[in-house]
Every structure is written in structure tokens, then in C-alpha cells.
Amino acid sequence: MKNVLIKLLQASALAAAMALPASAATAVATVTYAEPDRFTDVPFTPWERERVLKQLTAHFDKLAASLPPGQELKVEVLDLDLAGQTKPNFRGGQDLRVMNGGADWPRIHLRYSISEGGKVLKSGEEKLSNMQYLHRMNSYGNNELLRYEKQMLDDWFKQTVATR
């Protein structure tokens, strides 16, 4: 699993580097996952779990891109509980994720730091959750993977990280 995470991080960094002009010194994100096999709620199959972690890494990259050039966002995801509950799909294929607005809201436990030139500007540990995830506007479409988790991360980033 560690090899998968290393490859995931390398691919994410390479994709981010290729998407930018060579002269741009934009902010970057470094994302690690502490024991993802033990997270509260991630998909069971390795390919689905990898897809979820890849989506989260890409989203942290997107958030870091809004930081001033030269700053770095480091995130260590300690636990993850996705919105909804997984129900087995007896017809085959991947399991279904059902959201009912009960005690199935998204949660992410993470540590983060913002640094520039080797100096830590801001850091902390957060336990994010969104109990109202089904009852508020979401800027992500219905078909967007992890739309509730991404909205929760956007809110956290705007309120906690981007403010100085």
C-alpha cells in the first residue's frame, strides 16, 4: 500500500508541475495519508480506495494553488469518514454509497502546515465535519466524486488556512 501512495503522490506532483509554466513559482501541496487501511470509512477495494485518495490529493493541490507563490501546504490525513454509508451492491460492481442526512456526515481528521522558505507560517490539527452536508448549497455537481468532502475542505481552507 505504501508503494501505491508513493506512486500516487509522485503522479500528483508530476501532473501539477506539467500543468504550470516553467517560470511560475506557485504554491504546492504535499499530502500524506497515515494508515489509510485503518481509516474509519474508505472503500474496501484497493482501486476504489486509490481513486478516493487520488481525488483528495488533487483537491489539496487545487487549494494550495490559491496560496501566494512560494508557499507550501503540507497535509497529513489522519482519518477519513466519507459522507453516507456503504451498502452492498448484490448485482455486482462497486458498492453503493447512500446518504440519508443522519449520522453519516463527512469527517476528516488532519494535520496541516503552511510554510515559506523553510519557515512555518501556520499549522494545526483539525477534525473537520459537516453535519448539514445535505442541507446546504454545494458548488460541486451531483456526479462529482467526494463533493461533500471537497466542499467541507473548501470551507475549512477559506476560514482557517487562507486567512492570515
Side-chain angles (χ1 to χ4, degrees):
M1 186 63 182
K2 288 181 184 177
N3 289 338
V4 170
L5 293 177
I6 290 170
K7 288 180 183 178
L8 179 68
L9 292 173
Q10 289 171 339
S12 176
L14 180 60
M18 292 177 75
L20 301 172
S23 63
T26 62
V28 297
T30 303
V31 183
T32 57
Y33 298 92
E35 300 185 68
D37 294 339
R38 294 185 176 197
F39 284 173
T40 300
D41 177 26
V42 292
F44 178 73
T45 62
W47 68 270
E48 286 180 293
R49 185 180 314 118
E50 183 179 338
R51 183 177 71 154
V52 165
L53 298 182
K54 193 176 203 177
Q55 284 277 323
L56 278 178
T57 299
H59 196 69
F60 281 116
D61 286 340
K62 177 184 165 194
L63 293 173
S66 69
L67 291 172
Q71 290 189 359
E72 180 181 12
L73 171 64
K74 289 185 181 178
V75 177
E76 180 183 16
V77 179
L78 304 170
D79 194 20
L80 176 63
D81 188 354
L82 301 175
Q85 295 178 333
T86 303
K87 303 291 182 187
N89 182 356
F90 295 109
R91 294 183 182 175
Q94 69 186 70
D95 292 339
L96 303 172
R97 187 159 287 275
V98 178
M99 286 141 209
N100 63 25
D104 62 350
W105 56 84
R107 298 176 192 94
I108 298 177
H109 181 191
L110 56 83
R111 266 190 219 112
Y112 75 95
S113 68
I114 305 289
S115 59
E116 183 174 20
K119 180 182 174 193
V120 175
L121 305 174
K122 188 176 226 177
S123 66
E125 185 169 321
E126 302 281 345
K127 289 186 177 181
L128 311 177
S129 64
N130 182 3
M131 296 171 71
Q132 298 297 317
Y133 77 102
L134 287 177
H135 305 291
R136 59 181 291 237
M137 293 290 290
N138 191 312
S139 60
Y140 297 94
N142 289 337
N143 295 327
E144 179 83 26
L145 183 64
L146 305 178
R147 70 188 292 244
Y148 301 109
E149 292 77 9
K150 289 177 181 179
Q151 185 68 52
M152 181 174 65
L153 288 170
D154 289 352
D155 294 343
W156 162 75
F157 191 82
K158 187 180 350 176
Q159 295 168 5
T160 307
V161 177
T163 60
R164 294 183 30 165

